[in-house]
Amino acid sequence: MVKQERAVRTRENLIRSAAEVFEREGYALASLTAISSQAGVSNGALHFHFASKEELAREVEGAAAEVVQKMAESCRDSADTLLHSLADATCRLLDTVAGDPLVRAGFRLGRDPSRKSGEGGLWRWWCAWVQDLVSQAQEKGELAQGVSPEDAAAAIVAATAGFEVLGTWNRDWLSGERATRFWSLLLPLLAAPP
Amino acid sequence: MVKQERAVRTRENLIRSAAEVFEREGYALASLTAISSQAGVSNGALHFHFASKEELAREVEGAAAEVVQKMAESCRDSADTLLHSLADATCRLLDTVAGDPLVRAGFRLGRDPSRKSGEGGLWRWWCAWVQDLVSQAQEKGELAQGVSPEDAAAAIVAATAGFEVLGTWNRDWLSGERATRFWSLLLPLLAAPP
């Protein structure tokens, strides 16, 4: 039992370490040796848990997805309108990307040009989640007349992705406050008059 | 003279080939051998023109910057208002990114996590250019009352960067038409009534 617990903790530790090394080096240059050494375990211990760098990358993406999906669902349940849920979720997403290396690496792995198998990763999920909420907002009559739900969703998804990318070299772009100001601009345009 | 011309052409050919290999492989995995072979010249010929992969990356970024800066300036001069110039430039930028591998690689190199020296590259220029035009638009009274020029510029820059990133795995995001629809949404909000 104690042994099992220790294995679980080592595994989680390796996933967190992988996230930090992927963020620092990019996917191509991240080495399994750097990851195991960052986690303070042997190469053998790493290989006991993960067969390859790609498997580690998928685990990082999976763990990041769990964090942000939970966060997004809690925003959906707590705001008074779906558009407010979306605004909350965007702000909390950017704060989480700024503050949590695991989530940051999760999104970044999906857009790393040296990782052939990335194909969007978490960005695909975010895109689908936003599209779903915007079309529900439209069905509920929350969207202003004449606003295309597709275009509204595209603007929200693109701006979020842009803030994350621009935040790679300038952390000022990466904050909930930035997203709040984006929403202050956009919300009066999207929301139907109450 | 003929020899000089041939050297210039080989150099340009190597820069274009480097752009294609950088895009396909990402910075870390792009090899000088793949670049010279793509250009149909020897490794020695490549080394005669460029000392390192980093130098080639900077040349790709420089050549891409030349293309987009020329395009942006022509948009600034041809539209009736500065906000229309910005809209035109955003649309043409995304069309150029979609259609020209050199420009695509130029932007992508600036955000490649495996390239330590990227630090934004062309994205920094785009950010400064948009900020400059938006504050000029404000001075000319083109901006609607209550719109913060900083927030307007941030939304435009972030959306452009987002379309480029999302376009990495889904080309639908990468088109002037996409940008046109973004502007159709945003322009009524930003522009002062005529």
Side-chain angles (χ1 to χ4, degrees):
Chain A
M1 197 56 175
V2 173
K3 210 170 166 186
Q4 250 186 357
E5 263 174 42
R6 207 184 303 145
V8 170
R9 223 173 297 152
T10 302
R11 206 185 139 79
E12 284 174 358
N13 182 14
L14 277 163
I15 293 173
R16 287 240 153 228
S17 301
E20 286 165 34
V21 176
F22 284 139
E23 194 199 350
R24 200 169 61 225
E25 308 290 342
Y27 180 75
L29 298 183
S31 75
L32 293 179
T33 307
I35 294 169
S36 58
S37 128
Q38 172 101 5
V41 304
S42 68
N43 256 327
L46 185 148
H47 283 289
F48 173 78
H49 289 280
F50 304 101
S52 66
K53 182 155 80 170
E54 182 50 31
E55 192 186 326
L56 261 166
R58 288 194 187 278
E59 292 291 334
V60 168
E61 286 181 311
E66 221 173 285
V67 173
V68 294
Q69 285 165 4
K70 213 172 185 175
M71 180 276 291
E73 289 311 318
S74 86
C75 289
R76 189 209 286 255
D77 297 334
S78 64
D80 51 345
T81 69
L82 288 168
L83 285 178
H84 283 139
S85 302
L86 256 173
D88 286 354
T90 315
C91 299
R92 287 189 52 196
L93 181 80
L94 287 175
D95 266 339
T96 310
V97 169
D100 187 343
L102 180 77
V103 174
R104 201 154 58 235
F107 277 103
R108 217 158 276 180
L109 279 166
R111 64 169 178 85
D112 188 323
S114 68
R115 182 162 169 247
K116 308 290 179 202
S117 42
E119 292 190 336
L122 264 176
W123 286 115
R124 280 181 187 271
W125 164 80
W126 174 245
C127 185
W129 193 81
V130 171
Q131 282 169 339
D132 179 44
L133 241 71
V134 172
S135 64
Q136 282 186 46
Q138 194 204 22
E139 281 163 25
K140 284 183 130 186
E142 285 186 24
L143 226 51
Q145 250 195 339
V147 168
S148 139
E150 289 78 24
D151 293 351
I156 297 162
V157 172
T160 320
F163 288 135
E164 189 273 310
V165 169
L166 298 162
T168 316
W169 58 89
N170 182 351
R171 280 293 180 95
D172 290 350
W173 286 97
L174 215 53
S175 72
E177 198 217 321
R178 186 66 86 157
T180 305
R181 281 154 59 192
F182 172 72
W183 273 98
S184 307
L185 192 73
L186 203 67
L187 200 56
L189 186 88
L190 299 187
Chain B
M1 198 56 180
V2 173
K3 211 171 165 186
Q4 252 186 355
E5 263 173 44
R6 205 184 304 146
V8 169
R9 223 173 298 152
T10 302
R11 204 185 141 79
E12 287 174 356
N13 182 13
L14 277 163
I15 293 173
R16 287 236 152 235
S17 302
E20 287 164 34
V21 176
F22 284 138
E23 195 199 348
R24 199 170 60 225
E25 308 290 343
Y27 181 76
L29 299 183
S31 75
L32 294 179
T33 307
I35 294 169
S36 59
S37 128
Q38 172 102 3
V41 305
S42 68
N43 256 327
L46 184 150
H47 283 290
F48 173 78
H49 288 281
F50 304 101
S52 65
K53 183 156 78 169
E54 182 51 33
E55 191 184 328
L56 260 167
R58 288 194 186 278
E59 291 291 333
V60 168
E61 285 181 312
E66 223 172 284
V67 173
V68 291
Q69 285 166 4
K70 214 174 186 172
M71 178 277 288
E73 290 310 319
S74 85
C75 289
R76 187 207 288 257
D77 298 334
S78 63
D80 51 347
T81 69
L82 288 168
L83 285 178
H84 282 139
S85 303
L86 257 174
D88 286 355
T90 315
C91 299
R92 286 189 52 198
L93 181 80
L94 287 175
D95 266 340
T96 310
V97 169
D100 186 343
L102 180 76
V103 174
R104 202 155 56 236
F107 277 103
R108 216 158 279 182
L109 279 165
R111 65 166 177 88
D112 188 321
S114 69
R115 182 164 168 247
K116 309 288 179 203
S117 43
E119 295 191 333
L122 264 175
W123 285 116
R124 279 181 187 271
W125 163 80
W126 174 246
C127 185
W129 194 80
V130 171
Q131 282 168 338
D132 180 44
L133 240 72
V134 172
S135 62
Q136 282 184 48
Q138 193 203 22
E139 281 163 25
K140 283 183 131 184
E142 285 186 24
L143 226 51
Q145 250 193 339
V147 169
S148 138
E150 290 77 26
D151 294 351
I156 297 161
V157 171
T160 320
F163 288 135
E164 189 273 311
V165 168
L166 299 162
T168 315
W169 58 90
N170 181 351
R171 280 296 181 95
D172 290 349
W173 286 96
L174 215 54
S175 73
E177 196 219 324
R178 186 65 87 156
T180 305
R181 281 156 56 194
F182 172 71
W183 274 98
S184 307
L185 191 73
L186 203 65
L187 200 56
L189 185 86
L190 298 186

